[in-house]
């Protein structure tokens, strides 16, 4: 059980996030690692999941490239890694809701799979 968010654990989380962000071809998000950091962040960045963030293992604030990892709530290292990958999959596949496909991508990510950069589909129709 993880009890304390010490500098070493913080660094470990940053490193993991860096590695997975590279593999997923996303820019590394800013990390919030405690509910206090969520509450201290600008309100417009954490809108919608601010005072309720404590309920979750992690929250992605996609618009602001911001990720909350609820270190204190996370019971073990495996769940921590899962949560990091889960939130980063949200960042890489912003159009994808939770479900089978999402879970498959999380599993692939955990196994070390790389993903090419996300490209927004062009809204221009060429005829
Ligand atoms: Zn999610």
């Amino acid at each position: 059980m993880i009890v304390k968010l010490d500098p070493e654990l913080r660094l470990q989380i940053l490193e993991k996030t860096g590695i997975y962000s590279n593999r997923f071809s996303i820019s590394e998000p800013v990390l919030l690692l405690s509910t206090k950091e969520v509450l201290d962040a600008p309100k417009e960045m954490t809108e919608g999941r601010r005072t309720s963030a404590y309920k979750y293992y992690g929250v992605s604030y996609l618009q602001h490239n911001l990720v909350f990892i609820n270190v204190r709530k996370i019971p073990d290292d495996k769940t921590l890694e899962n949560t990091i990958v889960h939130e980063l999959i949200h960042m890489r596949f912003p159009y994808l809701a939770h479900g089978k496909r999402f879970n498959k991508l999380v599993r692939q990510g955990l196994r070390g799979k790389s993903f090419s950069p996300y490209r927004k589909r062009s809204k221009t129709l060429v005829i």
Side-chain angles (χ1 to χ4, degrees):
M1 175 120 180
I2 297 162
V3 277
K4 212 167 133 249
L5 179 59
D6 55 24
E8 201 181 313
L9 178 59
R10 186 173 279 274
L11 187 66
Q12 203 185 312
I13 294 170
L14 278 170
E15 277 175 358
K16 275 191 201 296
T17 303
I19 291 166
Y20 283 112
S21 296
N22 267 326
R23 286 189 198 150
F24 299 173
S25 306
I26 55 172
S27 61
E28 219 169 300
V30 173
L31 292 178
L32 306 172
L33 299 179
S34 68
T35 47
K36 186 182 182 300
E37 288 177 27
V38 173
L39 293 173
D40 286 348
K43 271 190 178 154
E44 64 272 18
M45 292 181 86
T46 54
E47 220 178 355
R49 285 268 194 283
R50 189 176 145 74
T51 51
S52 60
Y54 74 93
K55 294 182 197 167
Y56 306 95
Y57 281 156
V59 176
S60 298
Y61 304 95
L62 292 175
Q63 310 293 328
H64 301 283
N65 199 30
L66 194 67
V67 166
F68 168 49
I69 303 289
N70 198 354
V71 177
R72 255 179 215 125
K73 194 181 179 74
I74 292 174
D76 52 52
D77 283 352
K78 196 172 172 241
T79 311
L80 176 62
E81 186 122 7
N82 258 292
T83 304
I84 293 170
V85 170
H86 179 109
E87 298 312 330
L88 296 181
I89 289 290
H90 276 308
M91 294 297 188
R92 171 56 186 78
F93 301 91
Y95 50 88
L96 209 61
H98 291 147
K100 268 189 184 172
R101 169 126 199 266
F102 186 91
N103 293 340
K104 189 181 172 192
L105 290 164
V106 171
R107 285 198 305 274
Q108 289 176 332
L110 283 165
R111 284 201 302 262
K113 184 170 172 162
S114 294
F115 300 105
S116 57
Y118 172 56
R119 302 252 179 261
K120 273 199 183 125
R121 275 187 203 137
S122 168
K123 286 186 180 132
T124 314
L125 184 65
V126 182
I127 27 177

